[in-house]
Amino acid sequence: MARRILVVDDEPSIRELLRAYLEADGFEVVLAGTGADALHEATESQDPPDLVLLDIGLPDLDGLEVLRILRRTSDVYVILVTARAEEVDRIIGLSGGADDYVTKPFSPREVVARVRTVLRRSRIPEGEDPTGGGRGGPLTFVGLTIDESRREITRNGSPVSLSALEFDLLRALARSPGRVFSRAQLLEEVWGYDFYGDERVVDVHVRSIRSALGDDAVAPELIATVRGVGYKFIGEPSSAGPGRGGST
């Protein structure tokens, strides 16, 4: 079945251009010209999209506000499209749960490549049992449980909400406690080897994860920064064993 892409842009020419390239690559495409229409298609449609290409400069709701509303109820993949080249827009957008960004003017072929890269991140990792078996049970640490099969996280007994990409990033780190990952390694592991963006996108998402988990970057309990290299997971395994089974 073709993956469904929602293209949101107030310029009809851009919508039709992206539709043509995406459909030529085998995707099913739905179009929206306003934030309100985008939210309707993404949250109320009987056939919701697998990914949203979301322009920031919309005539009614700002694209970042659309993203924030989406993230309250959905972990649909989101690629922001913006004509604002300033770094602050990119950082704000990614901190809000976007999976990638594209700046105008763009190459339609590059947009299609990025869509494919983002969709390559399976919601249930390849080879895992979607009924709950996972790779041997939840990853459990003191104060933290990561249920891979259900894609649920609890911190000190309370549920934690992360975007799909943030979940994948945290899981990648937690699967190898103590291992130092460079930013490039995390980009390849989580974003895909052909990610086009800046390595600093990893820093943005780590900050977002830390904020959601209540983990202090200065005195971390879960994710430590390795200066000049990247990050490592330092969570203490639960009494049930090295990160598998048991509870917090």
Short mmCIF file of all heavy atoms in Angstrom, two decimals, residues 95 153 160-163 165-171 173 191 202-215 222-223 233:
data_model
loop_
_atom_site.label_atom_id
_atom_site.label_comp_id
_atom_site.label_asym_id
_atom_site.label_seq_id
_atom_site.Cartn_x
_atom_site.Cartn_y
_atom_site.Cartn_z
N SER A 95 12.56 21.61 17.95
CA SER A 95 12.28 21.42 19.37
C SER A 95 10.81 21.08 19.60
O SER A 95 10.45 20.47 20.59
CB SER A 95 12.64 22.69 20.15
OG SER A 95 14.02 22.94 20.08
N ILE A 153 6.93 5.28 27.28
CA ILE A 153 8.00 5.59 28.23
C ILE A 153 7.38 6.05 29.53
O ILE A 153 6.42 6.83 29.54
CB ILE A 153 8.91 6.70 27.68
CG1 ILE A 153 9.63 6.22 26.41
CG2 ILE A 153 9.93 7.15 28.72
CD1 ILE A 153 10.39 7.31 25.70
N VAL A 160 5.65 9.57 29.80
CA VAL A 160 6.40 10.65 29.16
C VAL A 160 6.05 10.68 27.69
O VAL A 160 6.03 9.63 27.02
CB VAL A 160 7.92 10.45 29.32
CG1 VAL A 160 8.69 11.51 28.55
CG2 VAL A 160 8.31 10.46 30.79
N SER A 161 5.76 11.86 27.17
CA SER A 161 5.40 12.01 25.76
C SER A 161 6.61 12.49 24.97
O SER A 161 7.18 13.54 25.26
CB SER A 161 4.25 13.01 25.61
OG SER A 161 3.93 13.21 24.26
N LEU A 162 7.00 11.69 23.97
CA LEU A 162 8.07 12.05 23.05
C LEU A 162 7.57 11.91 21.63
O LEU A 162 6.67 11.12 21.36
CB LEU A 162 9.30 11.15 23.24
CG LEU A 162 10.05 11.20 24.57
CD1 LEU A 162 11.22 10.22 24.54
CD2 LEU A 162 10.55 12.61 24.88
N SER A 163 8.17 12.65 20.71
CA SER A 163 7.86 12.46 19.31
C SER A 163 8.41 11.11 18.86
O SER A 163 9.23 10.48 19.55
CB SER A 163 8.46 13.58 18.46
OG SER A 163 9.87 13.43 18.38
N LEU A 165 10.55 10.48 16.54
CA LEU A 165 11.99 10.53 16.38
C LEU A 165 12.71 10.57 17.73
O LEU A 165 13.73 9.92 17.92
CB LEU A 165 12.38 11.74 15.53
CG LEU A 165 13.86 11.82 15.15
CD1 LEU A 165 14.02 12.37 13.74
CD2 LEU A 165 14.63 12.70 16.13
N GLU A 166 12.17 11.33 18.67
CA GLU A 166 12.79 11.40 20.00
C GLU A 166 12.79 10.04 20.67
O GLU A 166 13.76 9.66 21.33
CB GLU A 166 12.06 12.44 20.85
CG GLU A 166 12.29 13.87 20.40
CD GLU A 166 11.30 14.84 20.98
OE1 GLU A 166 10.34 14.43 21.66
OE2 GLU A 166 11.47 16.05 20.72
N PHE A 167 11.69 9.29 20.51
CA PHE A 167 11.65 7.93 21.07
C PHE A 167 12.75 7.09 20.45
O PHE A 167 13.48 6.38 21.17
CB PHE A 167 10.29 7.29 20.80
CG PHE A 167 10.14 5.91 21.37
CD1 PHE A 167 9.55 5.71 22.60
CD2 PHE A 167 10.61 4.80 20.68
CE1 PHE A 167 9.43 4.43 23.15
CE2 PHE A 167 10.51 3.52 21.21
CZ PHE A 167 9.91 3.34 22.44
N ASP A 168 12.91 7.15 19.13
CA ASP A 168 13.93 6.36 18.45
C ASP A 168 15.33 6.74 18.91
O ASP A 168 16.21 5.87 19.07
CB ASP A 168 13.82 6.54 16.94
CG ASP A 168 12.54 5.93 16.37
OD1 ASP A 168 11.91 5.10 17.06
OD2 ASP A 168 12.17 6.31 15.24
N LEU A 169 15.56 8.02 19.15
CA LEU A 169 16.87 8.48 19.59
C LEU A 169 17.17 8.00 21.00
O LEU A 169 18.27 7.48 21.28
CB LEU A 169 16.94 10.00 19.51
CG LEU A 169 18.23 10.67 19.96
CD1 LEU A 169 19.43 10.11 19.22
CD2 LEU A 169 18.12 12.19 19.78
N LEU A 170 16.21 8.14 21.90
CA LEU A 170 16.41 7.67 23.27
C LEU A 170 16.64 6.16 23.29
O LEU A 170 17.52 5.66 23.99
CB LEU A 170 15.20 8.03 24.13
CG LEU A 170 15.23 7.51 25.57
CD1 LEU A 170 16.42 8.06 26.34
CD2 LEU A 170 13.92 7.84 26.29
N ARG A 171 15.84 5.43 22.52
CA ARG A 171 15.99 3.98 22.48
C ARG A 171 17.37 3.57 21.96
O ARG A 171 18.00 2.65 22.49
CB ARG A 171 14.90 3.38 21.59
CG ARG A 171 14.99 1.87 21.44
CD ARG A 171 13.91 1.34 20.54
NE ARG A 171 13.98 1.97 19.22
CZ ARG A 171 13.03 1.86 18.32
NH1 ARG A 171 11.92 1.19 18.59
NH2 ARG A 171 13.16 2.43 17.14
N LEU A 173 20.17 5.14 22.22
CA LEU A 173 21.16 5.35 23.28
C LEU A 173 21.01 4.31 24.39
O LEU A 173 22.00 3.73 24.87
CB LEU A 173 21.00 6.75 23.86
CG LEU A 173 21.43 7.91 22.96
CD1 LEU A 173 20.86 9.23 23.49
CD2 LEU A 173 22.94 7.98 22.86
N TRP A 191 18.23 8.80 12.01
CA TRP A 191 17.70 9.57 10.88
C TRP A 191 17.85 8.82 9.55
O TRP A 191 17.08 8.99 8.65
CB TRP A 191 18.42 10.91 10.76
CG TRP A 191 17.91 11.98 11.66
CD1 TRP A 191 17.10 13.01 11.31
CD2 TRP A 191 18.19 12.16 13.06
NE1 TRP A 191 16.85 13.82 12.40
CE2 TRP A 191 17.52 13.33 13.48
CE3 TRP A 191 18.97 11.45 13.99
CZ2 TRP A 191 17.58 13.79 14.79
CZ3 TRP A 191 19.03 11.90 15.29
CH2 TRP A 191 18.34 13.06 15.69
N VAL A 202 20.92 16.75 16.24
CA VAL A 202 20.98 15.78 17.33
C VAL A 202 20.94 16.50 18.67
O VAL A 202 20.22 16.09 19.59
CB VAL A 202 22.26 14.91 17.23
CG1 VAL A 202 22.36 13.96 18.42
CG2 VAL A 202 22.27 14.13 15.91
N ASP A 203 21.69 17.59 18.80
CA ASP A 203 21.72 18.35 20.06
C ASP A 203 20.33 18.87 20.42
O ASP A 203 19.92 18.85 21.58
CB ASP A 203 22.69 19.52 19.95
CG ASP A 203 24.10 19.09 19.60
OD1 ASP A 203 24.46 17.93 19.90
OD2 ASP A 203 24.84 19.89 19.01
N VAL A 204 19.60 19.35 19.41
CA VAL A 204 18.27 19.89 19.64
C VAL A 204 17.35 18.82 20.21
O VAL A 204 16.63 19.03 21.19
CB VAL A 204 17.67 20.46 18.34
CG1 VAL A 204 16.24 20.91 18.56
CG2 VAL A 204 18.52 21.61 17.83
N HIS A 205 17.39 17.64 19.62
CA HIS A 205 16.51 16.57 20.08
C HIS A 205 16.93 16.01 21.44
O HIS A 205 16.08 15.63 22.24
CB HIS A 205 16.45 15.46 19.04
CG HIS A 205 15.59 15.81 17.86
ND1 HIS A 205 14.22 15.86 17.94
CD2 HIS A 205 15.91 16.18 16.60
CE1 HIS A 205 13.73 16.21 16.77
NE2 HIS A 205 14.72 16.42 15.94
N VAL A 206 18.23 15.96 21.71
CA VAL A 206 18.67 15.52 23.02
C VAL A 206 18.18 16.49 24.09
O VAL A 206 17.72 16.08 25.17
CB VAL A 206 20.21 15.38 23.07
CG1 VAL A 206 20.69 15.23 24.53
CG2 VAL A 206 20.66 14.17 22.26
N ARG A 207 18.24 17.79 23.81
CA ARG A 207 17.72 18.77 24.77
C ARG A 207 16.23 18.56 25.01
O ARG A 207 15.75 18.65 26.14
CB ARG A 207 17.97 20.20 24.26
CG ARG A 207 19.40 20.66 24.40
CD ARG A 207 19.50 22.18 24.33
NE ARG A 207 19.12 22.69 23.03
CZ ARG A 207 19.97 22.84 22.01
NH1 ARG A 207 21.24 22.49 22.15
NH2 ARG A 207 19.54 23.34 20.86
N SER A 208 15.50 18.27 23.95
CA SER A 208 14.07 18.03 24.08
C SER A 208 13.79 16.79 24.91
O SER A 208 12.89 16.78 25.77
CB SER A 208 13.43 17.90 22.69
OG SER A 208 12.04 17.69 22.79
N ILE A 209 14.54 15.73 24.69
CA ILE A 209 14.38 14.49 25.46
C ILE A 209 14.70 14.74 26.93
O ILE A 209 13.97 14.31 27.83
CB ILE A 209 15.27 13.38 24.89
CG1 ILE A 209 14.80 12.97 23.50
CG2 ILE A 209 15.27 12.15 25.82
CD1 ILE A 209 15.77 12.07 22.75
N ARG A 210 15.80 15.43 27.18
CA ARG A 210 16.17 15.74 28.57
C ARG A 210 15.06 16.53 29.26
O ARG A 210 14.74 16.27 30.43
CB ARG A 210 17.48 16.52 28.59
CG ARG A 210 18.73 15.68 28.40
CD ARG A 210 19.94 16.57 28.21
NE ARG A 210 21.19 15.82 28.32
CZ ARG A 210 22.37 16.28 27.90
NH1 ARG A 210 22.43 17.49 27.33
NH2 ARG A 210 23.46 15.56 28.02
N SER A 211 14.51 17.49 28.56
CA SER A 211 13.45 18.30 29.14
C SER A 211 12.24 17.43 29.50
O SER A 211 11.67 17.56 30.59
CB SER A 211 13.04 19.40 28.17
OG SER A 211 11.96 20.15 28.66
N ALA A 212 11.86 16.54 28.60
CA ALA A 212 10.70 15.68 28.84
C ALA A 212 10.94 14.72 29.99
O ALA A 212 10.02 14.39 30.74
CB ALA A 212 10.35 14.91 27.57
N LEU A 213 12.18 14.25 30.13
CA LEU A 213 12.51 13.29 31.18
C LEU A 213 12.90 13.94 32.50
O LEU A 213 13.07 13.25 33.50
CB LEU A 213 13.66 12.38 30.71
CG LEU A 213 13.40 11.48 29.51
CD1 LEU A 213 14.68 10.72 29.15
CD2 LEU A 213 12.28 10.50 29.80
N GLY A 214 13.07 15.27 32.49
CA GLY A 214 13.54 15.94 33.70
C GLY A 214 14.97 15.61 34.02
O GLY A 214 15.36 15.52 35.19
N ASP A 215 15.79 15.45 32.98
CA ASP A 215 17.20 15.08 33.14
C ASP A 215 18.06 16.33 32.99
O ASP A 215 17.99 17.02 31.96
CB ASP A 215 17.58 14.04 32.09
CG ASP A 215 18.89 13.33 32.42
OD1 ASP A 215 19.19 13.15 33.62
OD2 ASP A 215 19.60 12.96 31.47
N LEU A 222 20.65 10.31 33.07
CA LEU A 222 20.30 9.42 31.96
C LEU A 222 21.18 9.62 30.73
O LEU A 222 21.74 8.65 30.22
CB LEU A 222 18.82 9.60 31.59
CG LEU A 222 17.82 9.27 32.70
CD1 LEU A 222 16.41 9.67 32.28
CD2 LEU A 222 17.88 7.78 33.06
N ILE A 223 21.27 10.83 30.23
CA ILE A 223 22.03 11.08 29.01
C ILE A 223 23.16 12.06 29.30
O ILE A 223 22.91 13.20 29.70
CB ILE A 223 21.13 11.66 27.90
CG1 ILE A 223 19.98 10.69 27.59
CG2 ILE A 223 21.94 11.91 26.63
CD1 ILE A 223 18.97 11.25 26.60
N PHE A 233 24.41 6.99 27.09
CA PHE A 233 23.35 6.73 28.07
C PHE A 233 23.99 6.20 29.35
O PHE A 233 24.78 5.25 29.32
CB PHE A 233 22.36 5.72 27.51
CG PHE A 233 21.14 5.54 28.38
CD1 PHE A 233 20.07 6.41 28.28
CD2 PHE A 233 21.07 4.51 29.30
CE1 PHE A 233 18.94 6.26 29.08
CE2 PHE A 233 19.95 4.35 30.11
CZ PHE A 233 18.89 5.23 30.00
#
